[in-house]
Amino acid sequence: MNALERLRQFTTVVADTGDFNAMRAYAPRDATTNPTLILKAAQKPEYRALLEQTVASHPGEPAAGVCDRLLVRFGRDILSIVPGRVSTEVDARLSFDVEATLARARRLVGLYEEAGVGRERVLVKVASTGKASAPPRCSSAKASTATSRCCSLSRRQWPAPMPA
């Protein structure tokens, strides 16, 4: 029994990559993505078609919208590999704006639903940047009810001081 097999006895293995081949090799239960991981993967020749198809399918859409669609496209394809959930991260630049964070989270969930992926297979990650950030309030009853999905917090360090 190798180290990965021993680890599986005690925990859930989650892939933290946008590389489908790595996921196939290690067979994780769930996968997590973020815009940086997807950007890295999209630059590889084997994923170029996903990027080109996504851009071509949505002419005239703002860059942020196309990026959300690319995240969901990768997420949908990841879900054909992993049996559990995929987590997709809301743009960390929105982390100090509660309403914008929630709106983006709802948009991502809606895009997954449009792509035929049920909410039970999607986990939305939001950046946790400190006491003034949106994530602590995302776990409130209002936010949970509004999104009908749990969220995960990703810790981010910012070079600028936190807003008061």
Side-chain angles (χ1 to χ4, degrees):
M1 179 182 302
N2 66 32
L4 182 58
E5 291 166 345
R6 285 194 303 273
L7 186 61
R8 285 182 203 278
Q9 293 177 338
F10 302 102
T11 191
T12 301
V13 175
V14 178
D16 192 5
T17 182
D19 185 335
F20 302 158
N21 293 327
M23 288 181 214
R24 287 185 188 100
Y26 295 105
R29 167 127 173 68
D30 300 314
T32 184
T33 66
N34 65 49
T36 303
L37 292 173
I38 298 306
L39 174 62
K40 185 177 178 181
Q43 293 173 352
K44 293 181 177 185
E46 60 264 37
Y47 304 114
R48 184 148 184 90
L50 287 177
L51 173 61
E52 291 173 351
Q53 291 168 3
T54 303
V55 171
S57 297
H58 305 284
E61 185 160 352
V66 174
C67 288
D68 286 349
R69 291 181 184 279
L70 184 62
L71 288 170
V72 170
R73 175 64 191 270
F74 266 83
R76 188 186 73 198
D77 287 4
I78 287 167
L79 287 171
S80 72
I81 300 167
V82 302
R85 293 186 197 171
V86 64
S87 64
T88 301
E89 186 173 314
V90 171
D91 188 333
R93 294 173 295 186
L94 300 175
S95 65
F96 292 105
D97 184 336
V98 174
E99 294 307 316
T101 296
L102 290 173
R104 185 65 60 90
R106 288 182 190 108
R107 175 175 163 70
L108 289 169
V109 170
L111 290 172
Y112 272 108
E113 288 178 326
E114 283 177 23
V117 176
R119 290 177 179 221
E120 71 281 356
R121 296 208 61 206
V122 177
L123 178 72
V124 176
K125 293 190 306 184
V126 294
S128 174
T129 55
K131 66 181 180 181
S133 66
R137 287 175 247 155
C138 280
S139 59
S140 72
K142 176 185 171 193
S144 297
T145 301
T147 59
S148 300
R149 187 74 233 141
C150 57
C151 66
S152 171
L153 305 179
S154 289
R155 180 74 180 142
R156 295 283 186 236
Q157 296 296 325
W158 292 86
M162 299 292 171

